Amino acid sequence: MNKHSELAVYNFAYLDEQTKRMIRRAILKAIAIPGYQVPFASREMPMPYGWGTGGVQVTASILGPDDTLKVIDQGADDTTNAVSIRAFFQKVAHVAVTTKTAQATIIQTRHRIPEETLQDNQVLVYQVPIPEPLRFLEPRETETRKMHALEEYGLMHVKLYEDIARNGHIATTYAYPVKVEGRYVMDPSPTPKFDNPKMHRSQALQLFGAGREKRIYAIPPYTDVVSLDFEDHPFEVQQFEEPCALCAASGVYLDEVVLDDRGGRMFVCSDTDYCEKRRENGHRGHLNGETAGAAK
Amino acid sequence: MNDHPLLRVNAVTKYYGSRVGCTDVSFNLWPGEVLAIVGESGSGKTTLLNAISTNLMPTSGTVEYRMRDGQFRDLYRMGEAERRFLMRTDWGFVHQNPADGLRMTVSAGANVGERLMAIGNRHYGNIRQEATQWLGRVEIDADRIDDQPRDFSGGMRQRLQIARNLVTGPRLVFMDEPTGGLDVSVQARLLDLVRGLVNDLGLSAIVVTHDLAVARLLSHRMMVMKEGRVIEHGLTDRVLDDPREPYTQLLVSSILQV
Ligand SMILES: [Zn+2]
């Protein structure tokens, strides 16, 4: 079985032109109404839903032959999910791929927003599992649509209230709800709340695709994105106690890496490209050197 | 009581296809007044309640409500956003089954605080303080504030539902069989509590019940319904002590036998 020849019979970027036009119309509508979830006729993709088929369809619809694609899962380019999606687009669109944030024109992500500030020639595509922020308390789709239409967002604060009542602080760390351009409340997918401030007035266009749920939404460049909170419990991002063990970066999102079975561990940048670039530029963390290889 | 009614119900009729739900019902509800709508099941009392409270569009007739600015508004000509806002600020709706009116999987405090958050309160400490105070008013211990209503008894759930509705200081509360499904001793306590709150807050209320004892204890005025029509309407004590319609006499005598 030759996977390459099987896919070769498909159109550029796998989807047929009619489907791409349909998805582009949904994207344009999403850009016109920031934060609003636009329904679209999600297609079957040659990968399971959990693999980000919504993001893949969005990427396939905006991708041109001259684009350079980067795909990350968590912050890394080399995880199975990211490698598969990157390989898929290399096969079906023959586009250039990169792991370097600055060189990419389209970045598809599952969790993280790159640490390096995105520019106005870049598009960030998110793979979204559950697009509806109100769903956890209101399972009825007709009712959640009405709540969005009438701007009835009290329930979002009920969720945050419960968080504080139970934990003493807002313990939500992922998929932390935001209000877009003062109007629609949006779930920023499983992104850590650490990255929420990066969405605010970003120069890059941000597109969100949920395949199973058949929704596309968007944050156009330079759009206000405000994390919900209480006056006496203001929004805060996670703080890390120590800098990256490899590149000494601080103020970035760190992952814990287990070094051995004796409890040894270190904290390193989740954005692997960012970390590598810093090391190339001569930044050294306290564990860089002999243990750096073990971490990779 | 004020010079103007709070609610004007005019010739409200609801058909389900060719079947009558309720027909040609008119009345005024005055500020601070409690009106009981009584009747057996199938009499049209629940249809009427739903038609007045905008849960069910009537086939014909009008329902007008006097807004806080003193102007009467036809509820079925209001925009949906405004109507829903009215329902969660100036109105309350107490369901027979508390699960229909509560969020069973969020804490008691959040259940009470939800309306405050819905109208823009963004101070956790204030919301919690207000919720604590309301739990006290409905006789729920403050240390239950973080418990979910699914861990509460039926009577507690009903009291929590009442607190959740009253936190925004509504002027009109609808109650659909508020004591239905509760033990007799629990019913009596709940009725005392509701009567106290209605008096203290000067609420207007429309209470639908099949139980004449509930009507006797809570209402100033009552309407008796049969086959979709109001067949008798008057001060509660008068209707219960001196019923004029044979059907009302039958209802009253059957309750007295119990
Ligand atoms: Zn690093």
Side-chain angles (χ1 to χ4, degrees), chain A residues 20-59:
Chain A
K20 283 196 239 174
R21 276 196 295 272
M22 176 272 291
I23 293 174
R24 286 174 198 144
R25 278 195 295 270
I27 292 171
L28 287 173
K29 183 171 179 183
I31 293 169
I33 316 171
Y36 172 75
Q37 298 167 51
V38 180
F40 80 110
S42 181
R43 294 297 149 95
E44 290 286 326
M45 298 300 285
M47 59 192 75
Y49 275 122
W51 284 58
T53 56
V56 169
Q57 289 176 80
V58 168
T59 299

Side-chain angles (χ1 to χ4, degrees), chain A residues 38 55 83 134 164:
Chain A
V38 180
V83 169
L134 296 162
I164 302 170

Side-chain angles (χ1 to χ4, degrees), chain B residues 16-222:
Chain B
Y16 301 98
S18 60
R19 198 166 60 80
V20 174
C22 63
T23 185
D24 197 26
V25 178
S26 299
F27 66 89
N28 287 340
L29 183 75
W30 298 83
E33 185 182 38
V34 180
L35 172 73
I37 304 173
V38 303
E40 295 173 299
S41 70
S43 63
K45 60 186 192 301
T46 300
T47 296
L48 178 62
L49 182 76
N50 285 328
I52 298 167
S53 60
T54 75
N55 289 319
L56 187 67
M57 178 118 168
T59 312
S60 61
T62 58
V63 184
E64 295 170 294
Y65 182 71
R66 185 157 57 81
M67 307 292 282
R68 285 181 185 261
D69 65 4
Q71 301 298 309
F72 277 96
R73 299 284 303 278
D74 184 338
L75 294 173
Y76 284 98
R77 285 165 179 270
M78 237 181 221
E80 188 172 25
E82 192 183 7
R83 194 167 68 221
R84 282 169 68 110
F85 183 76
L86 181 77
M87 287 174 80
R88 63 170 187 265
T89 53
D90 214 22
W91 288 8
F93 198 110
V94 177
H95 297 263
Q96 173 173 4
N97 179 0
D100 294 338
L102 292 171
R103 293 193 189 279
M104 298 302 279
T105 57
V106 307
S107 68
N111 264 286
V112 178
E114 180 174 344
R115 276 181 167 221
L116 298 173
M117 292 180 250
I119 58 172
N121 196 320
R122 294 290 175 263
H123 192 285
Y124 174 83
N126 292 351
I127 293 164
R128 200 168 169 81
Q129 196 179 355
E130 189 91 347
T132 307
Q133 199 184 321
W134 270 102
L135 290 179
R137 289 190 82 158
V138 298
E139 299 167 11
I140 294 175
D141 285 342
D143 64 7
R144 303 300 303 269
I145 191 168
D146 294 329
D147 294 344
Q148 295 181 358
R150 56 184 176 188
D151 299 327
F152 287 5
S153 69
M156 277 175 80
R157 287 179 186 181
Q158 201 56 299
R159 282 180 272 134
L160 180 62
Q161 192 189 183
I162 289 165
R164 170 177 162 87
N165 274 278
L166 297 185
V167 68
T168 50
R171 295 186 299 160
L172 174 59
V173 178
F174 300 95
M175 300 186 205
D176 184 11
E177 305 277 9
T179 58
L182 298 175
D183 293 341
V184 176
S185 62
V186 178
Q187 282 188 21
R189 184 179 171 196
L190 186 71
L191 286 172
D192 281 344
L193 179 80
V194 170
R195 192 161 65 158
L197 286 170
V198 164
N199 284 337
D200 293 350
L201 301 169
L203 290 176
S204 300
I206 294 179
V207 184
V208 159
T209 180
H210 70 281
D211 186 342
L212 296 183
V214 171
R216 167 84 86 184
L217 206 61
L218 288 185
S219 72
H220 306 107
R221 212 151 40 101
M222 64 183 276

Side-chain angles (χ1 to χ4, degrees), chain A residues 243-249 252 254 267-272 274-276 278-279:
Chain A
C244 171
L246 300 180
C247 77
V252 298
L254 302 179
F267 287 91
V268 298
C269 292
S270 120
D271 184 338
T272 51
Y274 182 79
C275 198
E276 277 160 25
R278 279 181 57 86
R279 278 178 276 152

Side-chain angles (χ1 to χ4, degrees), chain A residues 61-174:
Chain A
S61 302
I62 63 171
L63 195 65
D66 299 332
D67 273 311
T68 303
L69 179 69
K70 170 180 164 82
V71 182
I72 48 175
D73 179 7
Q74 301 294 351
D77 302 78
D78 60 357
T79 58
T80 314
N81 185 288
V83 169
S84 305
I85 292 172
R86 196 165 57 232
F88 173 76
F89 281 113
Q90 275 181 295
K91 273 181 196 159
V92 300
H94 309 289
V95 290
V97 296
T98 184
T99 59
K100 295 192 163 46
T101 298
Q103 287 176 10
T105 55
I106 298 173
I107 302 169
Q108 181 169 331
T109 180
R110 193 179 187 183
H111 301 98
R112 292 294 323 285
I113 299 174
E115 303 292 357
E116 204 170 324
T117 304
L118 298 182
Q119 306 301 316
D120 61 8
N121 63 337
Q122 295 180 302
V123 181
L124 185 59
V125 177
Y126 298 77
Q127 307 165 204
V128 178
I130 298 171
E132 179 48 72
L134 296 162
R135 174 156 320 153
F136 78 102
L137 279 180
E138 183 48 74
R140 291 169 298 174
E141 171 88 18
T142 50
E143 188 64 14
T144 54
R145 292 189 76 77
K146 191 171 279 181
M147 291 162 121
H148 282 294
L150 301 177
E151 226 177 323
E152 292 179 3
Y153 289 129
L155 264 193
M156 294 313 308
H157 277 86
V158 169
K159 184 181 183 209
L160 298 177
Y161 172 100
E162 287 292 85
D163 229 5
I164 302 170
R166 209 170 298 143
N167 304 293
H169 62 278
I170 299 177
T172 301
T173 51
Y174 287 87

